[in-house]
Amino acid sequence: MEQNGGEGPQLRSVITYGTFDLFHVGHLRLLNRAKALGDKLIVAVSTDQFNAQKKKKTIIPYSQRAEIVGSIDCVDMVLPESSWDQKRTDIKKYKISALVMGDDWTGKFDDLRDVCEVCYLSRTSDISSTEIKRLLSPLDDGHMKDLRKALDTVASIIASLQ
């Protein structure tokens, strides 16, 4: 590593951003791969309020998502993400060398290349919080009420035919 004017080795800090709802192996692999790109990994977890602005509904509240992410060995620091424009400020404030995002965001943060390296990592195939939520959605209360209503209607029709 380079020396920085007698101040010791220059650390390479990496940052990534995400909601990290329904934490799964894809999240873990992304965080481990991001950490491998530097000495320090900072993870900004989207707050519930910011997710609401993005029209994104989470199942796990922010405080628990941040606690889960913060308990992972490769993560050195967790901070709240509360706006889209926070990235540039964070990069400067924490002296970030690289912004790492999943490849579903490819090109979206290229404007930050003037302040750090921007890396888009491939996602783990066959797993995503969005897909988990989609698979679980038929089991939510609203769908169950609709199903009960439909079954009641079918039962009424059958009763009227007898």
Side-chain angles (χ1 to χ4, degrees):
M1 282 189 230
E2 293 179 21
Q3 294 293 320
N4 187 8
E7 296 175 17
Q10 179 91 16
L11 293 179
R12 181 171 160 85
S13 295
V14 176
I15 195 165
T16 191
Y17 293 78
T19 298
F20 301 100
D21 197 23
L22 299 177
F23 198 88
H24 54 72
V25 72
H27 292 133
L28 182 62
R29 289 176 182 166
L30 178 78
L31 294 175
N32 280 317
R33 289 169 57 213
K35 173 63 178 233
L37 296 175
D39 303 297
K40 180 178 183 179
L41 176 60
I42 299 172
V43 180
V45 177
S46 300
T47 63
D48 296 331
Q49 295 80 9
F50 184 43
N51 280 320
Q53 289 174 20
K54 295 187 286 184
K55 304 210 182 321
K56 191 173 192 178
K57 182 172 174 20
T58 56
I59 293 173
I60 309 297
Y62 167 78
S63 61
Q64 293 177 23
R65 291 182 284 113
E67 184 177 343
I68 290 166
V69 170
S71 71
I72 299 167
D73 288 341
C74 66
V75 175
D76 297 295
M77 180 180 173
V78 174
L79 54 99
E81 179 188 25
S82 55
S83 70
W84 288 111
D85 58 355
Q86 174 181 337
K87 290 173 182 64
R88 182 171 294 275
T89 303
D90 288 345
I91 289 166
K92 291 177 181 178
K93 179 178 181 178
Y94 297 104
K95 298 177 175 53
I96 299 299
S97 302
L99 166 68
V100 174
M101 298 297 290
D103 64 0
D104 52 328
W105 292 99
T106 297
K108 299 279 195 300
F109 301 109
D110 288 353
D111 63 308
L112 297 170
R113 291 186 188 274
D114 65 322
V115 288
C116 72
E117 178 184 353
V118 178
C119 305
Y120 300 102
L121 301 179
S122 59
R123 296 171 55 97
T124 302
S125 61
D126 301 326
I127 186 80
S128 76
S129 298
T130 302
E131 182 62 13
I132 292 169
K133 288 177 192 174
R134 188 190 69 73
L135 292 170
L136 293 176
S137 68
L139 306 177
D140 72 15
D141 287 341
H143 285 91
M144 291 305 290
K145 287 177 186 171
D146 290 345
L147 180 57
R148 282 188 203 100
K149 184 177 177 182
L151 290 173
D152 289 344
T153 302
V154 169
S156 295
I157 292 170
I158 290 172
S160 71
L161 294 175
Q162 293 178 350

